[in-house]
Amino acid sequence: MSALTPPTDMPTPTTDKITQAAMETIYLCKFRVSMDGEWLCLRELDDISLTPDPEPTHEDSWEDLTDLVEQMRDDAEDPNYLMANERMNLMNMAKLSIKGLIESALNLGRTLDSDYAPLQQFFVVMEHCLKHGLRAKKTFLGQNKSFWGPLELVEKLVPEAAEITASVKDLPGLKTPVGRGRAWLRLALMQKKLSEYMKALINKKELLSEFYEPNALMMEEEGAIIAGLLVGLNVIDANFCMKGEDLDSQVGVIDFSMYLKDGNSSKGSEGDGQITAILDQKNYVEELNRHLNATVNNLQAKVDTLEKSNTKLTEELAVANNRIITLQEEMERVKEESAYILESNRKGPKQDRTADGQALSEARKHLKEETQLRLDVERELELQISMRQEMELAMKMLEKDVCEKQEALVSLRQQLDDLRALKHELAFKLQSSDLGVKQKSELNSRLEEKTNQMAATIKQLEQSEKDLVKQAKTLNSAANKLIPKHH
């Protein structure tokens, strides 16, 4: 036996256990971790059979293991194999990211913003996909790798993308090509044309060959698959404000914890999603309630202003009526005086007619002025009356609007109470489920303790059985020795 062969008395895991362990860890073996731009390569288990085989001997198992290690070492040194593995892992990460983003966005049911964690991780994964196999351009500052160059080609292939490219170039806060590329991805997603642009770019491999290596993701069929998967993102709505966002200095690190699913916590996550949706509805109702209260306060202020204006107009109308009555009395008095002067002129001497004529002309002039003043006052009175009628109509419409707003406010408050009751009910169910899980875990720990105790007891019984067997053998040998002596 060679020096590499393990001792025969060491416990060797069976094929079933190895198969189960491989099935449990194959999910993690689909990923690679990027540390400061360098890829940490992990072995894929696609070429390993997971079906139980007949139990091999220890020597054959150890030889197969050494052959597998040597094969992995040879594959790790092959650059084409590493690039293929990187493409496969990036494609799987893109699938998980797009699927998780669509599911979470549909469950959330509202427009996504730049603070949404699954959306941030999607852009990080897309950035890694666009950077894979990117050629380094030499500048006076050194080598530079940027995916902004390929994205600028899209406006030549699809004229609709020229608007996005111009918007990115006009943004004042972007200083690096990486920041412009990140802004371009966000604007394309907002426009719901990201899949169309990526397909148009991937179909022109003769243009991409200037920026990418021949075995890069964008040059192989994995890039076309990712472009097809991006079609599903057209069902979500996103809104980004990039004027104050620092896209140049962001660090693109993939958070793998978002894609490691735990089956035991799926129900809890559904409950959390329902509570989040209810909280969002509650916040919306409260915001709508605040807006309605502000509208009611504004309408009440307008009503108060109209009431003050109405009171002022009423007072002015009363003053105008008093002035009209005074003018009418003065006009009657002037008429009486003119009639008296005419009568006196008929009876008096002719010398006084000249003076009386002058007095009469002055009286007529005064009467004409008073008549004109009266007409002006009547026009102003009619104008004030029409304004008052319009204000009364506006007040009635405002009162009707206030009543409708109050009814809507009562309905929204009722909905808010219902949502609060539903929230309390869900919280109670969540607490009860947590209590049940805790009880089950305690019961499980007790069962494990009892199992361990029973195993210890079984071992003791086996040991005692062995001792009894030894004693029986000893007694049999003693008895066999005594029997010949008697004979």
Side-chain angles (χ1 to χ4, degrees):
M1 188 178 294
S2 62
L4 293 176
T5 306
T8 55
D9 56 348
M10 294 292 291
T12 303
T14 62
T15 306
D16 295 335
K17 292 182 180 179
I18 295 174
T19 303
Q20 186 175 1
M23 295 178 67
E24 290 177 352
T25 58
I26 192 170
Y27 188 79
L28 289 176
C29 290
K30 291 291 184 181
F31 302 117
R32 274 199 178 79
V33 184
S34 177
M35 301 295 293
D36 297 330
E38 298 295 332
W39 286 95
L40 174 62
C41 302
L42 301 181
R43 171 69 176 175
E44 284 196 354
L45 298 181
D46 294 338
D47 53 346
I48 298 177
S49 177
L50 299 180
T51 56
D53 297 325
E55 190 70 21
T57 62
H58 298 307
E59 296 182 357
D60 295 336
S61 299
W62 193 253
E63 291 175 358
D64 293 339
L65 182 59
T66 54
D67 294 336
L68 181 60
V69 170
E70 292 177 357
Q71 182 182 358
M72 290 172 64
R73 188 177 301 166
D74 295 335
D75 291 340
E77 294 175 357
D78 186 7
N80 294 327
Y81 176 81
L82 294 179
M83 294 291 284
N85 253 354
E86 290 170 6
R87 291 197 305 269
M88 181 63 66
N89 293 332
L90 284 173
M91 186 184 69
N92 291 330
M93 281 303 306
K95 287 180 181 180
L96 289 174
S97 177
I98 294 170
K99 180 181 178 182
L101 178 59
I102 294 173
E103 291 178 354
S104 61
L106 294 178
N107 292 331
L108 192 61
R110 61 178 175 84
T111 303
L112 306 181
D113 53 14
S114 57
D115 295 330
Y116 192 57
L119 193 58
Q120 293 176 352
Q121 287 299 308
F122 165 73
F123 287 126
V124 171
V125 173
M126 284 300 301
E127 184 176 342
H128 280 282
C129 293
L130 291 171
K131 285 183 178 179
H132 182 260
L134 196 65
R135 295 180 186 269
K137 290 189 175 182
K138 295 183 179 180
T139 61
F140 65 94
L141 295 177
Q143 293 185 348
N144 182 21
K145 285 188 177 182
S146 173
F147 58 94
W148 170 239
L151 296 181
E152 277 187 300
L153 297 175
V154 179
E155 65 176 343
K156 299 179 182 178
L157 305 175
V158 183
E160 297 176 1
E163 181 181 356
I164 293 179
T165 306
S167 300
V168 170
K169 292 180 179 178
D170 293 336
L171 286 174
L174 299 179
K175 300 178 181 179
T176 62
V178 176
R180 296 189 188 97
R182 291 168 177 170
W184 191 94
L185 290 175
R186 283 157 175 78
L187 291 176
L189 183 63
M190 287 174 60
Q191 201 180 22
K192 296 186 178 181
K193 294 291 184 67
L194 183 57
S195 174
E196 180 181 349
Y197 296 160
M198 295 301 292
K199 285 182 180 178
L201 188 61
I202 290 173
N203 291 333
K204 297 293 182 180
K205 290 186 171 57
E206 63 273 14
L207 298 177
L208 290 177
S209 61
E210 181 183 355
F211 300 94
Y212 290 99
E213 299 290 343
N215 51 4
L217 184 140
M218 296 292 289
M219 302 293 290
E220 298 291 341
E221 66 173 327
E222 286 86 354
I225 294 173
I226 293 175
L229 293 173
L230 293 175
V231 178
L233 297 180
N234 295 336
V235 301
I236 66 175
D237 296 323
N239 188 13
F240 305 104
C241 181
M242 290 177 288
K243 289 185 178 180
E245 191 173 1
D246 186 11
L247 297 177
D248 293 326
S249 61
Q250 289 184 359
V251 180
V253 178
I254 301 176
D255 185 8
F256 293 98
S257 63
M258 297 180 62
Y259 310 108
L260 300 178
K261 298 182 180 179
D262 187 3
N264 296 328
S265 60
S266 59
K267 296 182 179 179
S269 60
E270 292 177 359
D272 294 338
Q274 293 178 356
I275 292 176
T276 304
I278 291 172
L279 290 176
D280 291 337
Q281 293 177 2
K282 174 178 174 291
N283 294 330
Y284 170 73
V285 171
E286 290 178 351
E287 186 68 22
L288 185 59
N289 189 11
R290 283 194 293 271
H291 284 298
L292 289 175
N293 287 331
T295 305
V296 170
N297 293 331
N298 293 332
L299 292 176
Q300 189 65 35
K302 290 181 180 179
V303 169
D304 295 337
T305 305
L306 291 174
E307 287 179 353
K308 293 179 181 178
S309 301
N310 190 17
T311 304
K312 185 177 180 180
L313 290 174
T314 304
E315 294 175 356
E316 292 178 356
L317 181 60
V319 173
N321 289 331
N322 293 331
R323 189 173 181 183
I324 289 172
I325 293 172
T326 304
L327 291 174
Q328 288 177 355
E329 290 177 356
E330 290 181 357
M331 190 173 66
E332 294 293 335
R333 182 175 57 79
V334 170
K335 285 180 179 180
E336 292 176 357
E337 290 179 356
S338 62
Y340 176 74
I341 291 170
L342 289 174
E343 187 67 25
S344 62
N345 288 335
R346 290 174 185 175
K347 294 181 179 179
K350 294 181 179 180
Q351 302 91 330
D352 298 333
R353 288 184 179 179
T354 305
D356 292 338
Q358 293 177 356
L360 181 60
S361 62
E362 291 179 359
R364 286 177 179 175
K365 184 179 179 182
H366 183 65
L367 178 61
K368 188 177 180 180
E369 292 176 356
E370 294 293 337
T371 304
Q372 186 65 33
L373 182 61
R374 179 186 175 186
L375 293 175
D376 294 339
V377 171
E378 287 179 352
R379 288 195 201 97
E380 186 179 357
L381 179 61
E382 290 177 356
L383 181 61
Q384 297 291 341
I385 291 172
S386 63
M387 289 178 64
R388 180 182 178 184
Q389 291 176 354
E390 290 177 358
M391 288 183 179
E392 289 178 353
L393 180 61
M395 285 181 63
K396 290 181 181 178
M397 293 176 66
L398 286 173
E399 289 177 355
K400 183 178 179 182
D401 194 10
V402 168
C403 293
E404 291 177 356
K405 297 292 185 183
Q406 288 178 350
E407 291 177 357
L409 185 61
V410 171
S411 176
L412 289 173
R413 285 177 178 172
Q414 183 65 32
Q415 292 180 7
L416 180 60
D417 294 336
D418 295 340
L419 288 174
R420 286 176 178 171
L422 182 59
K423 175 188 173 184
H424 291 310
E425 183 178 354
L426 288 175
F428 178 73
K429 289 182 179 179
L430 185 61
Q431 290 178 357
S432 60
S433 63
D434 292 338
L435 182 60
V437 170
K438 186 176 180 181
Q439 291 177 355
K440 290 180 180 179
S441 62
E442 292 178 354
L443 183 59
N444 191 14
S445 61
R446 292 176 183 173
L447 290 174
E448 289 180 353
E449 291 178 358
K450 290 183 179 180
T451 303
N452 294 331
Q453 292 177 0
M454 292 177 66
T457 304
I458 290 171
K459 288 182 179 179
Q460 292 177 358
L461 291 174
E462 290 177 352
Q463 186 64 32
S464 61
E465 183 180 0
K466 291 179 179 179
D467 295 339
L468 290 174
V469 169
K470 289 181 179 179
Q471 292 178 4
K473 289 181 179 180
T474 304
L475 292 175
N476 287 330
S477 61
N480 290 330
K481 290 178 180 180
L482 291 174
I483 288 172
K485 290 181 179 182
H486 290 292
H487 289 291

